[in-house]
Amino acid sequence: MRTLLSLSVAILAGLLMTRVAKPLKLPSVTAYLVAGVLIGPYCLGLLGIEGLGFPTQEDVDSLSLISEVALGFIAFSIGSEFRVSELKHTGKQAFVIGVLQALAATFLIDIALVAIALVTNGKLTIAQAITLGAIGTATAPAATLMVVRQYKAKGPLVDLLLPIVALDDAVGLVLFAVSFGIAKALSSGVVDLYTIVANPIIEITASLLLGAVAGWVMTQIEKLFNSNTNRLAITISFVFLTVALSMISVKIGPVTLGFSSLLVCMMIGAIYCNFFKESDVIMEQCDRWTTPLFILFFIISGASLDIFNIIHVGVIGIVYVLVRALGKYTGAMWGAAVVKAPPTVTKYLGFTLLPQAGVAIGMAAICARTLPAELASAITTVVLCATLIYELVGPIVTKLALSAAEEIEKKPKKQKPAGNTPANQ
């Protein structure tokens, strides 16, 4: 009963907070995170009233299964954006720009934070630095898409922006798998060529294979049914199944075979959207079904934010926010110049890639469950604080960039009535 009461209060708090955020023109994700902070163990939870949010961190941790499932659906949704038919139009340019801006953000964050780790002597570890570098790659597709739709933006910048955002998260998931594998090796103290190189490669390959097989099997089963309701149920069950399988790790001799639920579910989405004609309808229904799940995910993530830790990671957080923005801008500008994109794309694309939310928070949640608490706490705090900043500033900057690129539809000016003529008297 206590858990159900806490979950119901959490969803209601998140939805009510969106009403507060709406007049301020803030994204819903920001409202959910703030709601999570308010009802979390470091705010109202300190009152110790059962049912009013989450009194302890253990209460938050007990809901980790919700976060796991939500992450699976987030990755599944990202994968469904990789339709071969759509990628043919902007494929080469989007791929080059997407990869270069992702790598630029990661490398710049790595360099800056590793330098801090070496100078501060323990305040930040190398494992934390490279993990934050990989997380910095991710961009929030929802926030960017919201701005594009709200202002009915059209043009060469928008045509490249949407596929780049989807590709950006895919590249981020791969970079995270590699960096996180290295971070785990460094934190465990067992550092050799196998753990740093072979383990991440094996995990990525195994995850993509599992996702491809699961996606193909799911597609074949759904072809046996004509009801979209049944197809939706199959889709949901397969995401559940693969998230569960991804939690299993098998040791075969010297090799530890593990899976990344993010990569597995992303691959399922990619296979599904390319091999099942009715996938658009099912994905739309799936988005509606997962809305309460995503609300809970963001609220639980906000509740995990220890606001007292913000003081201790202040400099690190500021460096992360600024260097990530620099990496996104310079990487996008460089990539656009390489593929000879239009001048407006070269000049303004980087500004539209600042929003960061779901995927980054998901990566931080994986760190919280896998890395030692003393390492994961700083990563989670930096990412969640940065998310709040990016979700406040990112959509505004995106709108300004699209406006400067002249891709936002301008409303026609109302004509003023003529002067003092007999017809107007």
Side-chain angles (χ1 to χ4, degrees):
M1 184 193 76
R2 177 181 169 184
T3 302
L4 288 176
L5 184 59
S6 296
L7 291 177
S8 63
V9 169
I11 293 177
L12 287 173
L15 291 173
L16 290 174
M17 188 57 68
T18 62
R19 299 304 89 188
V20 177
K22 188 174 182 180
L24 302 175
K25 297 182 179 180
L26 300 177
S28 295
V29 172
T30 304
Y32 300 145
L33 290 172
V34 172
V37 172
L38 292 177
I39 65 173
Y42 306 102
C43 199
L44 290 179
L46 292 172
L47 299 175
I49 303 175
E50 291 190 5
L52 182 62
F54 310 106
T56 66
Q57 185 60 45
E58 286 72 24
D59 293 324
V60 179
D61 295 337
S62 67
L63 301 174
S64 60
L65 185 61
I66 293 177
S67 297
E68 287 280 1
V69 175
L71 283 173
F73 281 103
I74 288 173
F76 178 68
S77 178
I78 292 171
S80 67
E81 297 294 329
F82 289 94
R83 299 178 185 275
V84 175
S85 58
E86 295 178 5
L87 291 176
K88 286 180 180 178
H89 301 292
T90 56
K92 182 181 177 182
Q93 288 188 328
F95 179 80
V96 172
I97 298 173
V99 171
L100 287 179
Q101 60 85 25
L103 291 176
T106 296
F107 288 148
L108 286 181
I109 294 172
D110 281 346
I111 292 169
L113 295 186
V114 167
I116 291 177
L118 295 175
V119 172
T120 55
N121 192 26
K123 189 173 182 180
L124 183 73
T125 66
I126 302 294
Q128 290 171 318
I130 61 175
T131 302
L132 285 169
I135 294 175
T137 304
T139 301
T144 303
L145 186 60
M146 176 189 68
V147 174
V148 171
R149 288 179 175 174
Q150 181 179 353
Y151 297 101
K152 299 178 181 178
K154 294 180 182 178
L157 176 56
V158 172
D159 291 341
L160 277 173
L161 173 59
L162 298 181
I164 284 173
V165 169
L167 178 66
D168 178 73
D169 284 333
V171 175
L173 293 179
V174 175
L175 287 175
F176 179 74
V178 175
S179 298
F180 191 57
I182 297 172
K184 285 190 292 184
L186 292 173
S187 63
S188 66
V190 182
V191 181
D192 54 45
L193 187 63
Y194 173 76
T195 55
I196 290 179
V197 178
N199 255 348
I201 292 176
I202 292 172
E203 180 177 309
I204 292 170
T205 305
S207 299
L208 295 178
L209 285 175
L210 175 60
V213 171
W216 183 83
V217 172
M218 182 180 79
T219 301
Q220 300 310 307
I221 293 176
E222 289 197 9
K223 288 179 180 178
L224 301 176
F225 295 84
N226 295 321
S227 167
N228 285 335
T229 302
N230 289 333
R231 289 170 173 170
L232 175 62
I234 293 168
T235 301
I236 293 170
S237 66
F238 261 82
V239 175
F240 284 173
L241 173 64
T242 49
V243 168
L245 291 176
S246 299
M247 296 178 180
I248 301 171
S249 59
V250 182
K251 192 169 182 64
I252 306 172
V255 179
T256 301
L257 183 60
F259 304 96
S260 165
S261 61
L262 295 175
L263 288 178
V264 173
C265 293
M266 184 188 73
M267 193 63 178
I268 292 176
I271 296 295
Y272 184 56
C273 74
N274 283 292
F275 291 93
F276 193 67
K277 293 180 180 179
E278 290 82 10
S279 61
D280 282 343
V281 178
I282 307 302
M283 289 303 303
E284 184 179 348
Q285 293 180 342
C286 191
D287 288 341
R288 295 174 184 173
W289 184 87
T290 54
T291 297
L293 184 65
F294 289 164
I295 292 174
L296 278 174
F297 169 69
F298 289 119
I299 291 173
I300 292 170
S301 298
S304 301
L305 177 58
D306 185 350
I307 54 179
F308 299 107
N309 274 344
I310 296 175
I311 301 172
H312 303 294
V313 296
V315 175
I316 299 168
I318 292 171
V319 170
Y320 173 84
V321 169
L322 295 178
V323 174
R324 177 182 177 270
L326 178 63
K328 288 288 182 182
Y329 180 78
T330 55
M333 183 173 63
W334 181 30
V338 169
V339 298
K340 298 180 180 179
T344 53
V345 174
T346 304
K347 191 174 182 179
Y348 299 112
L349 177 61
F351 292 114
T352 65
L353 299 173
L354 295 184
Q356 188 175 48
V359 176
I361 293 174
M363 293 174 180
I366 291 174
C367 295
R369 290 192 301 274
T370 310
L371 292 177
E374 62 273 12
L375 295 180
S377 177
I379 293 173
T380 303
T381 303
V382 169
V383 172
L384 291 179
C385 290
T387 297
L388 286 173
I389 294 171
Y390 283 130
E391 287 299 287
L392 288 169
V393 177
I396 298 172
V397 174
T398 299
K399 176 194 171 184
L400 293 174
L402 292 174
S403 180
E406 298 183 348
E407 297 196 6
I408 289 182
E409 194 175 289
K410 293 182 179 179
K411 295 181 180 179
K413 294 182 179 179
K414 293 182 179 180
Q415 291 185 351
K416 294 181 179 180
N420 190 19
T421 62
N424 292 316
Q425 289 179 354

